[in-house]
Amino acid sequence: MKAAVLEAPGTPLRVHADVMLREPGADQVRVRVKHCGICHSDLSLVDGTFPGPLPIVLGHEAAGIVDAVGAHVRGLAVGDHVVLTPAPPCGACYYCVRGDASLCVDALGILTNTFPDGSTGLSRGDQTVYRGLNVAGFAEYTVLAATGAVKIPKDVPLEVACVIGCAVQTGVGAVLNTAKVVEGATVLVMGLGGIGLSVVQGARLAAASRIIVSDPVAERRDVAKNFGATDLLDPTSEDVVARAREITGQIGVDYAFETAGVAALVAQGVSAARNGGTIVCVGAPPIDQAITIAPASLFTVSEKKLLGCVLGSANSLHEIPRLVALWQAGRLDLESLITARRPLEQINEAMDDLRASRGVRTVLSI
């Protein structure tokens, strides 16, 4: 099959037509990938910011059509339209039975780039090819656990639905599931890529009273305004912490979201949050960046809360249908997140767009 393969960090991806994919197992499905968005996590692996095994097929924000099902699969059939998720819940592990499906042991594939048994199902000649971020969506087909393919109505365009797989369920979920933003709250969003803009939409859905956003790219601030942001800040010319405090009457925001993958912004969020406020780490900073909170005693007595967030703390089997329903009801804008569409063969040009902060989301047609 055809797939875009990263063979060495810092080098262009190469589209090969001879990548082999094994048949699905008893509890797995094979999906004909139709569209896949490009996320900053993909770029981080391409550029070597995140280490990963090589060669590898990246892409984890995908949607497609079920092509084959294993013998034990229930609830999915050939021809079903599905959105793929990097965190397929097993339903039985320590985390799943406690309601923390995003921490499911099977979601470790996001880090290992393999199935739980260490296999990948992908090869080229006699060489193993790894399944990037637990999906491997930059390919014509992918095999994954049946719970990693979530059925959606066939009248929902797959090129639109694919962005739910990462950006939207992460961003909206960070608001509704991780932080549990309450009605009337004040929110600060630092970074307006696909995830940050989805946080803005989540804050709007939660009926936040002020949605303060910060990003150096004017175009993205304008999109955020259309999504419901009330206050637009340019961090290159404004003191974000001082302005956030000014806007909130010197109290500080109730919730601060770091969505750019820059560890220093977490500390900025801590400073911008009110006493008792919540700071949510949604972005994925380079592994050589650290979060520093000083003085620690002041953080303690202020009772601020620092939360991690993976995939919006979502159970994708519930979250993806909920987000589709919100889109169908006109309460969630997916189309405006997509600012470019390219064929798979132009994947390197799409990566260049992301590096240069051109647009928001590029969706590839596979």
Side-chain angles (χ1 to χ4, degrees):
M1 69 172 181
K2 182 172 66 174
V5 181
L6 176 67
E7 297 171 345
T11 64
L13 290 91
R14 299 181 63 187
V15 177
H16 295 291
D18 58 350
V19 176
M20 302 300 295
L21 177 67
R22 76 181 184 200
E23 293 294 311
D27 297 307
Q28 296 176 328
V29 297
R30 185 173 65 215
V31 174
R32 171 65 175 95
V33 179
K34 302 299 289 186
H35 301 280
C36 190
I38 296 182
C39 175
H40 206 278
S41 296
D42 297 313
L43 181 62
S44 294
L45 281 158
V46 170
D47 289 346
T49 304
F50 293 162
L54 299 169
I56 190 169
V57 175
L58 298 170
H60 60 284
E61 192 177 80
I65 301 172
V66 175
D67 176 74
V69 299
H72 297 166
V73 173
R74 300 293 181 267
L76 287 175
V78 172
D80 284 343
H81 288 203
V82 290
V83 171
L84 309 187
T85 177
C90 73
C93 71
Y94 177 94
Y95 300 101
C96 281
V97 299
R98 285 161 176 77
D100 295 325
S102 62
L103 301 177
C104 175
V105 294
D106 286 356
L108 286 174
I110 295 172
L111 300 177
T112 64
N113 302 283
T114 69
F115 288 112
D117 65 2
S119 67
T120 71
L122 293 165
S123 62
R124 187 164 176 258
D126 59 359
Q127 186 177 34
T128 295
V129 176
Y130 290 87
R131 52 191 315 269
L133 297 163
N134 224 19
V135 174
F138 294 155
E140 290 181 302
Y141 295 89
T142 189
V143 166
L144 67 168
T147 57
V150 183
K151 185 177 178 179
I152 63 172
K154 289 186 177 180
D155 61 352
V156 178
L158 293 173
E159 66 174 337
V160 172
C162 68
V163 297
I164 293 175
C166 178
V168 180
Q169 74 170 328
T170 298
V172 174
V175 175
L176 303 183
N177 304 324
T178 310
K180 298 179 172 64
V181 169
V182 299
E183 185 176 358
T186 54
V187 170
L188 170 65
V189 184
M190 296 169 287
L192 296 174
I195 289 176
L197 287 167
S198 296
V199 168
V200 172
Q201 295 207 68
R204 186 192 71 239
L205 289 169
S209 62
R210 299 297 286 265
I211 305 172
I212 308 163
V213 300
S214 169
D215 193 281
V217 181
E219 176 189 359
R220 292 181 173 183
R221 296 196 300 270
D222 291 340
V223 175
K225 182 178 181 180
N226 292 335
F227 282 175
T230 58
D231 302 270
L232 314 180
L233 306 182
D234 181 353
T236 65
S237 61
E238 298 179 86
D239 184 324
V240 173
V241 172
R243 288 285 292 119
R245 288 192 165 275
E246 178 186 342
I247 291 165
T248 57
Q250 301 304 324
I251 294 172
V253 297
D254 296 313
Y255 303 90
F257 294 85
E258 189 289 308
T259 55
V262 179
L265 293 182
V266 176
Q268 194 172 90
V270 171
S271 297
R274 65 166 174 84
N275 289 346
T278 299
I279 304 93
V280 186
C281 308
V282 190
I287 60 172
D288 60 350
Q289 292 186 10
I291 297 171
T292 302
I293 299 175
S297 58
L298 185 59
F299 180 81
T300 299
V301 299
S302 70
E303 292 196 7
K304 297 181 183 183
K305 306 163 193 69
L306 181 62
L307 303 178
C309 173
V310 60
L311 208 68
S313 306
N315 181 334
S316 297
L317 297 178
H318 164 73
E319 195 70 31
I320 290 173
R322 173 167 74 156
L323 294 169
V324 169
L326 286 168
W327 174 79
Q328 290 174 314
R331 299 180 62 196
L332 191 62
D333 184 350
L334 302 179
E335 291 91 338
S336 295
L337 291 172
I338 303 168
T339 50
R341 293 173 172 82
R342 292 180 179 271
L344 180 63
E345 288 73 15
Q346 293 180 11
I347 189 170
N348 292 304
E349 290 85 349
M351 292 288 177
D352 288 339
D353 288 342
L354 186 54
R355 287 188 188 94
S357 298
R358 288 190 289 267
V360 178
R361 220 33 158 215
T362 295
V363 168
L364 299 175
S365 298
I366 310 295

